[in-house]
mmCIF file with all atom_site columns, all heavy atoms in Angstrom:
data_model
loop_
_atom_site.group_PDB
_atom_site.id
_atom_site.type_symbol
_atom_site.label_atom_id
_atom_site.label_alt_id
_atom_site.label_comp_id
_atom_site.label_asym_id
_atom_site.label_entity_id
_atom_site.label_seq_id
_atom_site.pdbx_PDB_ins_code
_atom_site.Cartn_x
_atom_site.Cartn_y
_atom_site.Cartn_z
_atom_site.occupancy
_atom_site.B_iso_or_equiv
_atom_site.pdbx_formal_charge
_atom_site.auth_seq_id
_atom_site.auth_comp_id
_atom_site.auth_asym_id
_atom_site.auth_atom_id
_atom_site.pdbx_PDB_model_num
ATOM 1  N N   . GLU J 1 667 ? 264.001 108.684 241.911 1.00 95.00 ? 739 GLU J N   1
ATOM 2  C CA  . GLU J 1 667 ? 264.702 109.588 242.828 1.00 95.00 ? 739 GLU J CA  1
ATOM 3  C C   . GLU J 1 667 ? 263.860 110.845 243.036 1.00 95.00 ? 739 GLU J C   1
ATOM 4  O O   . GLU J 1 667 ? 263.298 111.408 242.084 1.00 95.00 ? 739 GLU J O   1
ATOM 5  C CB  . GLU J 1 667 ? 266.073 109.969 242.240 1.00 95.00 ? 739 GLU J CB  1
ATOM 6  C CG  . GLU J 1 667 ? 266.887 110.843 243.169 1.00 95.00 ? 739 GLU J CG  1
ATOM 7  C CD  . GLU J 1 667 ? 268.265 111.165 242.636 1.00 95.00 ? 739 GLU J CD  1
ATOM 8  O OE1 . GLU J 1 667 ? 268.341 112.071 241.789 1.00 95.00 ? 739 GLU J OE1 1
ATOM 9  O OE2 . GLU J 1 667 ? 269.257 110.514 243.042 1.00 95.00 ? 739 GLU J OE2 1
ATOM 10 N N   . SER J 1 668 ? 263.790 111.299 244.270 1.00 96.00 ? 740 SER J N   1
ATOM 11 C CA  . SER J 1 668 ? 262.856 112.366 244.592 1.00 96.00 ? 740 SER J CA  1
ATOM 12 C C   . SER J 1 668 ? 263.333 113.715 244.035 1.00 96.00 ? 740 SER J C   1
ATOM 13 O O   . SER J 1 668 ? 264.511 113.962 243.818 1.00 96.00 ? 740 SER J O   1
ATOM 14 C CB  . SER J 1 668 ? 262.689 112.487 246.118 1.00 96.00 ? 740 SER J CB  1
ATOM 15 O OG  . SER J 1 668 ? 263.812 113.111 246.697 1.00 96.00 ? 740 SER J OG  1
ATOM 16 N N   . HIS J 1 669 ? 262.360 114.576 243.830 1.00 97.00 ? 741 HIS J N   1
ATOM 17 C CA  . HIS J 1 669 ? 262.622 115.940 243.372 1.00 97.00 ? 741 HIS J CA  1
ATOM 18 C C   . HIS J 1 669 ? 263.561 116.643 244.339 1.00 97.00 ? 741 HIS J C   1
ATOM 19 O O   . HIS J 1 669 ? 264.476 117.365 243.912 1.00 97.00 ? 741 HIS J O   1
ATOM 20 C CB  . HIS J 1 669 ? 261.256 116.660 243.294 1.00 97.00 ? 741 HIS J CB  1
ATOM 21 C CG  . HIS J 1 669 ? 261.342 118.147 243.090 1.00 97.00 ? 741 HIS J CG  1
ATOM 22 N ND1 . HIS J 1 669 ? 261.654 118.706 241.868 1.00 97.00 ? 741 HIS J ND1 1
ATOM 23 C CD2 . HIS J 1 669 ? 261.152 119.195 243.958 1.00 97.00 ? 741 HIS J CD2 1
ATOM 24 C CE1 . HIS J 1 669 ? 261.652 120.040 241.979 1.00 97.00 ? 741 HIS J CE1 1
ATOM 25 N NE2 . HIS J 1 669 ? 261.359 120.343 243.228 1.00 97.00 ? 741 HIS J NE2 1
ATOM 26 N N   . LEU J 1 670 ? 263.337 116.481 245.647 1.00 97.00 ? 742 LEU J N   1
ATOM 27 C CA  . LEU J 1 670 ? 264.170 117.184 246.629 1.00 97.00 ? 742 LEU J CA  1
ATOM 28 C C   . LEU J 1 670 ? 265.598 116.650 246.658 1.00 97.00 ? 742 LEU J C   1
ATOM 29 O O   . LEU J 1 670 ? 266.537 117.413 246.895 1.00 97.00 ? 742 LEU J O   1
ATOM 30 C CB  . LEU J 1 670 ? 263.540 117.100 248.025 1.00 97.00 ? 742 LEU J CB  1
ATOM 31 C CG  . LEU J 1 670 ? 262.260 117.932 248.191 1.00 97.00 ? 742 LEU J CG  1
ATOM 32 C CD1 . LEU J 1 670 ? 261.647 117.733 249.570 1.00 97.00 ? 742 LEU J CD1 1
ATOM 33 C CD2 . LEU J 1 670 ? 262.535 119.416 247.949 1.00 97.00 ? 742 LEU J CD2 1
ATOM 34 N N   . THR J 1 671 ? 265.765 115.370 246.401 1.00 97.00 ? 743 THR J N   1
ATOM 35 C CA  . THR J 1 671 ? 267.132 114.823 246.304 1.00 97.00 ? 743 THR J CA  1
ATOM 36 C C   . THR J 1 671 ? 267.850 115.483 245.120 1.00 97.00 ? 743 THR J C   1
ATOM 37 O O   . THR J 1 671 ? 269.026 115.856 245.204 1.00 97.00 ? 743 THR J O   1
ATOM 38 C CB  . THR J 1 671 ? 267.091 113.306 246.135 1.00 97.00 ? 743 THR J CB  1
ATOM 39 O OG1 . THR J 1 671 ? 266.495 112.726 247.288 1.00 97.00 ? 743 THR J OG1 1
ATOM 40 C CG2 . THR J 1 671 ? 268.502 112.716 245.958 1.00 97.00 ? 743 THR J CG2 1
ATOM 41 N N   . GLN J 1 672 ? 267.122 115.637 244.019 1.00 97.00 ? 744 GLN J N   1
ATOM 42 C CA  . GLN J 1 672 ? 267.715 116.270 242.844 1.00 97.00 ? 744 GLN J CA  1
ATOM 43 C C   . GLN J 1 672 ? 268.033 117.746 243.098 1.00 97.00 ? 744 GLN J C   1
ATOM 44 O O   . GLN J 1 672 ? 268.979 118.281 242.529 1.00 97.00 ? 744 GLN J O   1
ATOM 45 C CB  . GLN J 1 672 ? 266.775 116.101 241.644 1.00 97.00 ? 744 GLN J CB  1
ATOM 46 C CG  . GLN J 1 672 ? 266.665 114.669 241.169 1.00 97.00 ? 744 GLN J CG  1
ATOM 47 C CD  . GLN J 1 672 ? 265.595 114.445 240.114 1.00 97.00 ? 744 GLN J CD  1
ATOM 48 O OE1 . GLN J 1 672 ? 265.223 115.386 239.429 1.00 97.00 ? 744 GLN J OE1 1
ATOM 49 N NE2 . GLN J 1 672 ? 265.106 113.228 240.008 1.00 97.00 ? 744 GLN J NE2 1
#
Side-chain angles (χ1 to χ4, degrees):
E739 184 177 79
S740 76
H741 169 76
L742 289 177
T743 297
Q744 291 172 24

